[in-house]
Amino acid sequence: MSRSLLLLLGRHSVQSLVPATLISQVESLLESHRIPHAVDLADQERRRQLYGGVNIDEAEADQLQYIYQRIGFQCFTETLFEDAGKHLFEGGLDPRVLVSYFPNLRGELNGVDNTVDMFGGVAEHMPPESSVEEIIAANLVRNYSPHLSPNTREAPSTSELRKILLIAAEDMLEAYLRKCRTRRVLENQSGGGSTSPNRQDEYAVVDTVLVKLFARSEKTKDLYALLQEPHYIVLPEVETMLVENGQYKALCELHQQMGNHDKLLEIWAKLIDGEWLDEDISDPVGAMVVYLHNLNERPDKSATYTQLTQKWALWLMHEKRVPKEGLKLLISSRSSPARTSGRRPARHQNNKSISNPDSDANLDAEDKNLLFGIREINPTAALQYLEYLILQRGSKARDIHMEYATACIDELMGYLQGEEGIEKLWRAKASSYFSSSSSSSSSSTSPAITTSTPLPFISYFASTTPESPSKRARLKTLLFLQVSGLYDVSVIKERILSASDEHSKTAKGKHKPLLSLELAVLESKLGNHRAVLECLVREVGDGVSAEAYCTGNNRPGSNGGRQVIPTRLCRSIAENTEGLSNWKSVVTATTKEASEEKGVANGTLLRMLLEVYMSIGDAEKQPSSRIDQEQVQQVQVARLLNSQGVHLDVRDVIQTLPSSWPLHLLSSFITRSCRRTLHTSHEGQILKMVSLAENWDVKERTWSVLREEGFVVEEATDGGDDYKGEEVENIVLNEKIALSPSDPSPVDVFPDPKEA
């Protein structure tokens, strides 16, 4: 403020002669549109305050800010946008005031109640227009009207100039907001930043409008850099702008930072379906899966997160998307530690076992709902989820086991009916195995001695069939039918037979049932032992599995332990077949009734198997075929007698075999049986004598004790007994007859202490 040293007193006034102030000088220059001179005066004052070495009070600092703001708005009015932004920033103008002239960028950021403190003189000289477009239009009218036709708004030259000026205005705003953001960072680093609500509103306007500007101008790197730093972006304000300009990665980043899970996943879903495209998101599926997995593993996980994970896992399981990833995600949500209770589990080892169903007969309702949803979306994925419930969750629900068994059979029949090559391949494998077992038997020079044991059919099929989904499906079906006892065996058997009958009607020629091994497993579950043996021997030609079935563990549970496919073989098949590793740790599941059932003795089943072998050639009508079958019979019977003769009675075998068979066929079996009988007899005699010796030893040690207790022990005299040896042997002591009166009275060995 200037001071006057000279006063002039008049009749009606007092006048003073004072020098012109800096503000008045600048305003005078601005009124005459001499903006460069006004800038020079402001710069001189600024240098004086910075480098003059004088103390600057708050009034002088406010005066300089006022001057720069006046200059800046004057430049803004005259569309000198670059200079306007520079001087307004030096004047410390609140960025919200400048943003208010850009309504398309402002949006709803500046509400009705939002106010900004400003200098009164600056507010009076602000452009009265409501937007920068109107300022540009007014300037064009002022400078070019009426020299352009038809008018300044429609003339082509002014239209292009209007676009250029509008771009310059937005560039000025971007530069201004960048400076404001940089100033904020420096203030925070120096500890002078403010966190008041008013300043936070200012920060929100700066960051939000910057995001809009970066998105419109496709400055992707600057946009990503802004999102990686602390910011106050108002997401609803920028969401539409980002979508319109295809900045989906930036939008995903914002939603992820704000915790908007639903909207984030919806964006990824549109990218996966191809509705939106963004080169910066190369793998939206992987991003969605990783995000949901991390969400599902959070320590503060809630039921909402689980439901969200399952919802999008089901969405991914559609056939057109990625069912494999969706199933993995769904399984991870069901096996999360958050689902486990605080009780200690009854079994903590081999959690893949299928336990007894009586403790928990019904499946969890949530699993049922998920299974229903998966079945509607992708039946193939539903089968995989059933497998997960059985193998990993240890489901004991009968309906789940029944549905899985039905699905496995339907899958097998689908391969057989849909692809002719698979049926031919499987029939070729069955025929090759049957003929190889028969030829190896008929070509043996010594039927009584077999040096090699053929493989079971399932091992032969698994080792010789090329890897394919159909091969894995059949092996998986066989393993499940064997280890599970919780499905309706009769229904599954009828389903296989009916499907085979329908398929045989369309097939050319007469063939053996292609799924004979599956039928054998089902017959074993029903306890039809003869049907099992006939199926294995007649249809499959698998004598090895038939003998193993007869000699299985004869214990309660699972049909007496009889298995067409033993547990060890199941484990070996699962370990050596690609895609079946989950089946190697599965143990047999039984019902309560089956667990209390006692199986048939091994000898009975082996005699039954011998009868089946003897009936092989009865169905042959051609003499040549009958001769070949008889040779096969002889070798198979010889192998059975040599390997399992310990369970067979020699008399039953001799009565069963025809008298026309050569004697050398039975020589090994008879010799071993005789040796075994003789060995048993001698062993019994030895045991009898050893027992007798032990009894005498016990008697000798007992007599001395009894004598000390007062018991009368009569010993033979030196002269011997009055009876001869032959007569002693004929004496029979009858303990039921009382002693004669002449005999001495009995002596109480343990007298009563009271009587003494």
Side-chain angles (χ1 to χ4, degrees), residues 730-750:
N730 295 329
I731 294 176
V732 178
L733 297 179
N734 192 348
E735 61 182 4
K736 302 297 182 180
I737 301 176
L739 297 175
S740 61
S742 59
D743 294 332
S745 60
V747 178
D748 191 359
V749 179
F750 301 98

Side-chain angles (χ1 to χ4, degrees), residues 212-468:
K212 292 182 179 181
L213 290 170
F214 290 156
R216 289 175 56 176
S217 58
E218 297 183 357
K219 296 181 179 180
T220 308
K221 293 183 178 180
D222 294 332
L223 178 59
Y224 293 163
L226 174 60
L227 298 181
Q228 297 302 321
E229 298 174 357
H231 57 76
Y232 294 84
I233 299 173
V234 180
L235 181 54
E237 284 291 328
V238 302
E239 186 173 6
T240 303
M241 183 74 70
L242 293 175
V243 172
E244 291 176 352
N245 293 274
Q247 297 289 351
Y248 304 119
K249 183 177 181 180
L251 186 57
C252 289
E253 184 70 23
L254 283 173
H255 281 305
Q256 189 168 355
Q257 292 175 359
M258 303 296 180
N260 300 332
H261 310 300
D262 292 319
K263 291 188 175 182
L264 174 62
L265 294 169
E266 288 175 1
I267 296 173
W268 279 329
K270 293 180 179 180
L271 292 170
I272 293 172
D273 288 342
E275 183 178 347
W276 289 351
L277 296 176
D278 192 338
E279 296 179 354
D280 294 336
I281 304 179
S282 58
D283 185 16
V285 175
M288 175 183 282
V289 171
V290 171
Y291 183 78
L292 288 173
H293 179 74
N294 294 336
L295 195 67
N296 196 51
E297 297 296 329
R298 289 178 57 170
D300 58 341
K301 174 185 173 182
S302 63
T304 304
Y305 293 159
T306 302
Q307 294 174 1
L308 188 66
T309 303
Q310 293 174 0
K311 170 187 173 182
W312 288 101
L314 291 173
W315 182 86
L316 287 172
M317 291 175 68
H318 195 277
E319 295 179 354
K320 296 181 180 180
R321 299 186 182 102
V322 279
K324 184 177 180 181
E325 295 296 335
L327 182 62
K328 289 182 179 179
L329 194 60
L330 186 63
I331 289 175
S332 67
S333 70
R334 299 296 295 140
S335 59
S336 174
R339 288 178 47 83
T340 59
S341 62
R343 295 178 300 174
R344 182 177 180 179
R347 297 180 61 184
H348 59 277
Q349 296 178 349
N350 192 14
N351 59 353
K352 295 181 180 179
S353 63
I354 308 173
S355 56
N356 194 296
D358 300 287
S359 60
D360 186 14
N362 298 320
L363 186 65
D364 185 86
E366 185 176 356
D367 285 328
K368 285 188 176 182
N369 294 333
L370 288 175
L371 183 60
F372 178 77
I374 298 172
R375 194 184 298 113
E376 290 184 343
I377 296 173
N378 191 338
T380 303
L383 180 61
Q384 297 174 354
Y385 189 70
L386 282 171
E387 184 175 326
Y388 154 74
L389 292 177
I390 294 172
L391 297 183
Q392 300 185 31
R393 293 292 301 278
S395 172
K396 300 171 285 293
R398 292 179 177 274
D399 53 348
I400 291 299
H401 282 249
M402 184 62 190
E403 182 176 355
Y404 185 73
T406 304
C408 288
I409 299 302
D410 292 343
E411 185 181 14
L412 279 185
M413 300 311 300
Y415 281 121
L416 293 176
Q417 297 173 2
E419 302 182 26
E420 186 178 356
I422 294 178
E423 180 185 1
K424 291 182 178 179
L425 176 63
W426 289 6
R427 289 198 182 278
K429 292 296 178 183
S431 177
S432 174
Y433 180 81
F434 194 91
S435 60
S436 64
S437 61
S438 300
S439 61
S440 62
S441 300
S442 60
S443 61
S444 178
T445 57
S446 179
I449 302 175
T450 56
T451 58
S452 62
T453 301
L455 292 174
F457 174 74
I458 187 173
S459 299
Y460 173 82
F461 180 84
S463 60
T464 60
T465 305
E467 291 294 335
S468 63

Side-chain angles (χ1 to χ4, degrees), residues 716-722:
T717 60
D718 295 339
D721 297 334
D722 297 337

Side-chain angles (χ1 to χ4, degrees), residues 54-109:
V54 295
N55 295 327
I56 306 300
D57 56 13
E58 184 178 355
E60 292 179 335
D62 292 342
Q63 175 182 267
L64 184 60
Q65 286 187 346
Y66 173 86
I67 293 172
Y68 274 120
Q69 290 184 18
R70 282 282 288 112
I71 296 173
F73 274 116
Q74 184 67 33
C75 294
F76 193 68
T77 303
E78 298 182 9
T79 65
L80 302 175
F81 294 118
E82 184 177 358
D83 294 337
K86 175 183 176 182
H87 299 313
L88 290 175
F89 181 77
E90 291 174 347
L93 179 69
D94 192 310
R96 291 174 288 181
V97 177
L98 188 58
V99 170
S100 65
Y101 286 97
F102 296 83
N104 57 335
L105 296 175
R106 180 186 62 203
E108 301 296 331
L109 290 175

